[in-house]
């Protein structure tokens, strides 16, 4: 297999003679065939090909293959957003009456999806502190637990997932282990190496990297045995809505085939070809960007840590950080450009600081080339009840900083200036 740098640049796109050198945008909802039989074979999954963009499109396909290669997966499915990817991946295995055991330190949008929306459809989520001992996590598992869910680096609390602990539990009970790898990207972490079965990305973040295209990707690591696993009867019985196909018979592509054939077919949250093109383009420099994001973040975390006006800083690059060891274990080449910190003096000081900044922008976005920040308690997490905020460790003064790839000196100068004018 090629190295990550090469996959980022050239991915799975191999043009034939006379075809565009750059993976083109195929802006067509539909595809032409000469005979009915040709098309019937596609519907039966007997042949590979495109017939309707809701299910597959060449531009989207290049992106899916690139992400699958980077994550060493058996296949991937690109969706209209990260939330769509998470929703379809969960619904691919959970029905009413099923449950998810989930780290409580996850992206606010995923927390809402699990705790409010999925609950309305009868899917329960049992949240747990990701640092809880294995026995406490195991105690939440029952016969209807279909997914164990965590984030490589949890946003906004910058907690590094103890992969080994979670994957051992998942293996012991034969449960799928889902990992949202958005904030590290496959360049800095390959969760499959640490036991993940399904990987999720909000490609709106580092994969695109330029804040221009919303999207999400579900990756099947191809390493979960559905065949005969009684926890997943839907994978072991014929799908009457798909010609009696038994997904477990497909082996390493069981999950992703079912996700596309059922979930994407019925819910239609496909990534648009235009967005796949932009994401593909962004990903051509992912390896360079991630290196710089991680380098800059380490420099800025150190600067903040040593500043007397700063109350606390969380970033796994800091030796003092409680997640330093886990960071070294799972993210040895850098963890993420994301960090969080709090200023002494609470929310008023925080507000003044943010309005003093000139280079660093206050935006509802993270993980693009431009340095940005956000105060979750007053924005992304404001719908959460106070008890959930406390449980997730989100204090009112928490500033989530997404370090970009500008000059670290200029970023620090902006922070210094904002601090000196408090
Ligand atoms: C942003 C984000 C999501 C949701 O992705 P969208 O593309 O905004 O729908 C999911 N997980 C994590 C970790 C994120 O940062």
């Amino acid at each position: 297999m090629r190295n990550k740098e090469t996959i980022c640049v050239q991915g799975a796109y191999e043009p034939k003679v006379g075809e565009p050198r750059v993976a083109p945008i195929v802006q067509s909802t539909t595809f032409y065939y000469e005979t009915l039989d040709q098309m019937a074979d596609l519907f039966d999954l007997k042949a590979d090909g495109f017939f309707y963009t809701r299910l597959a499109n060449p531009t989207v396909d290049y992106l899916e293959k690139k992400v699958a290669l980077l994550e060493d997966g058996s296949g991937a499915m690109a969706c209209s957003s990260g939330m769509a990817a998470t929703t379809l991946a969960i619904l691919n295995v959970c029905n009413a009456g099923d449950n998810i055991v989930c780290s409580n330190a996850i992206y606010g949008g995923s927390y809402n999806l699990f705790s409010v929306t999925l609950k309305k459809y009868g899917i329960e989520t049992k949240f747990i502190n990701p640092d809880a001992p294995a026995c406490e996590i195991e105690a939440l598992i029952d016969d209807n637990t279909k997914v164990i869910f965590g984030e490589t680096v949890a946003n906004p609390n910058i907690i590094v997932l103890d992969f080994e602990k979670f994957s051992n539990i998942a293996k012991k009970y034969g449960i799928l282990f889902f990992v949202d790898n958005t904030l590290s990207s496959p360049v800095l972490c390959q969760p499959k190496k640490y036991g993940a079965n399904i990987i999720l990305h909000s490609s709106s973040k580092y994969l695109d990297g330029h804040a221009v295209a919303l999207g999400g990707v579900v990756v099947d690591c191809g390493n979960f045995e559905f065949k005969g696993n009684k926890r997943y009867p839907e994978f072991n019985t014929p799908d009457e809505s798909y010609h009696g196909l038994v997904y477990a018979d497909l082996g390493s592509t069981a999950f992703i085939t079912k996700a596309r054939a059922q979930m994407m077919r019925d819910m239609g949250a496909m990534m648009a070809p235009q967005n796949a093109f932009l994401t593909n383009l962004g990903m051509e420099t992912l390896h360079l960007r991630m290196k710089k994001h991680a380098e800059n973040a380490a420099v800025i975390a150190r600067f903040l840590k040593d500043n007397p006006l700063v109350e606390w800083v969380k970033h796994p690059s800091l030796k003092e950080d409680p997640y330093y060891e886990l960071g070294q274990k799972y993210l040895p080449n850098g963890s993420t450009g994301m960090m969080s910190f709090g200023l002494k003096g609470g929310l008023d000081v925080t507000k003044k600081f943010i309005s003093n900044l000139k280079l660093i922008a206050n935006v509802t976005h993270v993980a693009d080339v431009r340095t940005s920040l956000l105060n979750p308690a007053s924005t992304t997490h404001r719908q959460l009840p106070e008890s959930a905020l406390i449980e997730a460790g989100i204090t009112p003064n928490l500033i989530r900083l997404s370090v970009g790839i500008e000059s670290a000196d200029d970023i620090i100068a902006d922070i210094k200036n904002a601090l000196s004018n408090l």
Side-chain angles (χ1 to χ4, degrees):
M1 200 173 96
R2 287 176 173 158
N3 291 306
K4 283 183 185 174
E5 293 82 349
T6 312
I7 298 169
C8 284
V9 178
Q10 299 224 8
Y13 180 63
E14 286 175 15
K16 296 189 195 75
V17 175
E19 286 183 353
R21 181 67 189 97
V22 176
I25 308 178
V26 179
Q27 193 68 47
S28 181
T29 58
T30 188
F31 299 82
Y32 165 74
Y33 291 92
E34 263 177 335
T35 69
L36 285 179
D37 287 346
Q38 285 170 337
M39 219 183 256
D41 284 349
L42 296 175
F43 275 90
D44 284 350
L45 304 175
K46 278 187 197 148
D48 261 350
F50 304 99
F51 51 97
Y52 191 55
T53 285
R54 166 151 43 79
L55 285 159
N57 168 282
T59 315
V60 179
D61 188 59
Y62 303 136
L63 175 69
E64 292 169 338
K65 292 208 164 96
K66 185 183 274 193
V67 179
L69 281 171
L70 284 172
E71 292 286 19
D72 190 27
S74 59
M77 182 174 83
C79 306
S80 53
S81 69
M83 290 313 303
T86 304
T87 304
L88 296 193
I90 293 286
L91 294 180
N92 199 33
V93 285
C94 291
N95 295 324
D98 292 336
N99 65 72
I100 305 164
V101 169
C102 185
S103 158
N104 67 8
I106 56 166
Y107 173 68
S110 307
Y111 193 96
N112 283 335
L113 169 69
F114 293 169
S115 63
V116 180
T117 302
L118 289 183
K119 200 167 153 188
K120 286 196 281 194
Y121 296 91
I123 298 166
E124 189 201 349
T125 301
K126 304 176 191 181
F127 289 103
I128 179 92
N129 181 332
D131 296 327
C135 59
E136 280 181 31
I137 302 171
E138 282 186 53
L140 298 177
I141 291 171
D142 62 31
D143 290 347
N144 296 325
T145 305
K146 297 291 164 79
V147 172
I148 295 179
F149 191 103
E151 286 181 10
T152 302
V153 178
N155 174 9
N157 235 354
I158 323 298
I159 290 172
V160 179
L161 189 68
D162 188 340
F163 282 94
E164 200 177 318
K165 179 175 68 183
F166 278 89
S167 73
N168 282 343
I169 298 169
K171 278 191 200 115
K172 181 171 168 187
Y173 292 88
I175 300 172
L176 284 160
F177 179 29
F178 280 37
V179 175
D180 182 331
N181 195 29
T182 299
L183 293 190
S184 294
S185 90
V187 170
L188 297 179
C189 183
Q190 249 184 350
K192 183 184 173 181
K193 282 190 194 150
Y194 312 120
N197 304 117
I198 303 301
I199 299 167
L200 300 162
H201 282 285
S202 163
S203 63
S204 327
K205 313 295 168 56
Y206 287 124
L207 299 190
D208 156 26
H210 299 76
V212 292
L214 217 66
V217 185
V218 182
V219 182
D220 185 346
C221 292
N223 57 356
F224 190 84
E225 188 55 79
F226 284 101
K227 190 98 193 150
N229 187 329
K230 295 202 167 52
R231 217 174 261 283
Y232 302 96
E234 273 197 345
F235 282 77
N236 284 288
T237 46
D239 175 3
E240 296 313 335
S241 80
Y242 221 100
H243 321 295
L245 184 65
V246 177
Y247 293 103
D249 290 344
L250 300 173
S252 67
T253 57
F255 184 94
I256 206 71
T257 305
K258 182 173 181 290
R260 192 182 299 277
Q262 280 186 342
M263 296 301 122
M264 193 57 88
R265 178 196 63 189
D266 297 353
M267 303 196 185
M270 188 64 172
M271 184 184 283
Q274 178 85 33
N275 278 3
F277 175 83
L278 290 167
T279 306
N280 233 329
L281 189 61
M283 282 187 74
E284 291 176 4
T285 55
L286 182 66
H287 54 302
L288 300 175
R289 289 188 283 107
M290 289 320 294
K291 192 164 172 264
K292 185 70 175 164
H293 279 295
E295 269 171 27
N296 274 358
V299 172
I300 285 151
R302 177 46 59 199
F303 164 79
L304 290 170
K305 186 79 191 166
D306 295 341
N307 192 297
L309 298 174
V310 175
E311 189 181 313
W312 54 268
V313 188
K314 290 179 183 167
H315 194 261
S317 64
L318 296 168
K319 281 221 160 61
E320 306 89 323
D321 193 87
Y323 297 97
Y324 177 77
E325 299 295 334
L326 284 175
Q328 292 298 304
K329 185 170 173 187
Y330 298 118
L331 302 142
N333 301 317
S335 48
T336 178
M338 302 290 307
M339 69 182 68
S340 59
F341 67 99
L343 296 176
K344 288 177 184 160
L347 193 57
D348 288 347
V349 172
T350 306
K351 281 187 178 159
K352 183 100 200 299
F353 169 75
I354 293 176
S355 55
N356 283 351
L357 293 163
K358 294 194 167 64
L359 181 73
I360 304 172
N362 176 31
V363 297
T364 309
H365 195 256
V366 295
D368 72 76
V369 288
R370 283 159 287 264
T371 301
S372 62
L373 57 65
L374 177 97
N375 175 235
S378 55
T379 56
T380 50
H381 288 62
R382 66 182 296 134
Q383 278 92 359
L384 262 62
E386 203 175 312
S387 60
L389 281 177
I390 293 166
E391 198 144 300
I394 296 163
T395 55
N397 74 343
L398 188 151
I399 294 173
R400 186 180 73 181
L401 179 67
S402 172
V403 177
I405 60 170
E406 305 94 336
S407 147
D409 291 345
D410 290 339
I411 300 167
I412 288 177
D414 197 34
I415 297 174
K416 264 189 187 158
N417 179 60
L419 288 173
S420 66
N421 289 310
L422 283 177

